[in-house]
Amino acid sequence: MKKTALIFATLVLTATSAFADEAINTELTLAAADLGVKTAWVETQEDAEARIAEELAAKTDVLNEKANANLEQKLEAKLAQEFAL
């Protein structure tokens, strides 16, 4: 009876230890996966911010060119009127 109880207790402790190790490994795996997702998200956010900044710069250049062309036309018209060209 003592041998059976000792063997049973050993099996229970071994199984408990295996479950605990598996739980720790699972938690570490989940934590690593979560960290990986957060890192990928941060990189994606940085990429999106860089893309938005590039698009904004391109649109700004186009608008500046249009505004400058419009101002140059007005200036030419004003100068032509003043000097009667």
Side-chain angles (χ1 to χ4, degrees):
M1 185 72 167
K2 288 184 182 183
K3 286 183 183 180
T4 307
L6 183 60
I7 291 172
F8 181 72
T10 303
L11 288 174
V12 169
L13 288 175
T14 303
T16 304
S17 176
F19 284 126
D21 288 342
E22 183 64 28
I24 290 171
N25 288 337
T26 302
E27 288 177 13
L28 290 176
T29 302
L30 291 175
D34 187 40
L35 181 61
V37 169
K38 287 180 182 175
T39 301
W41 180 79
V42 169
E43 291 172 0
T44 302
Q45 182 180 4
E46 290 172 355
D47 292 341
E49 289 174 353
R51 181 181 48 79
I52 290 170
E54 289 173 1
E55 290 175 359
L56 182 61
K59 289 179 181 178
T60 301
D61 290 341
V62 169
L63 290 174
N64 281 336
E65 289 174 8
K66 287 181 181 179
N68 286 338
N70 188 14
L71 288 173
E72 286 176 5
Q73 287 177 351
K74 287 182 180 180
L75 180 61
E76 287 175 5
K78 186 174 183 178
L79 289 175
Q81 183 182 19
E82 285 182 11
F83 294 113
L85 296 176

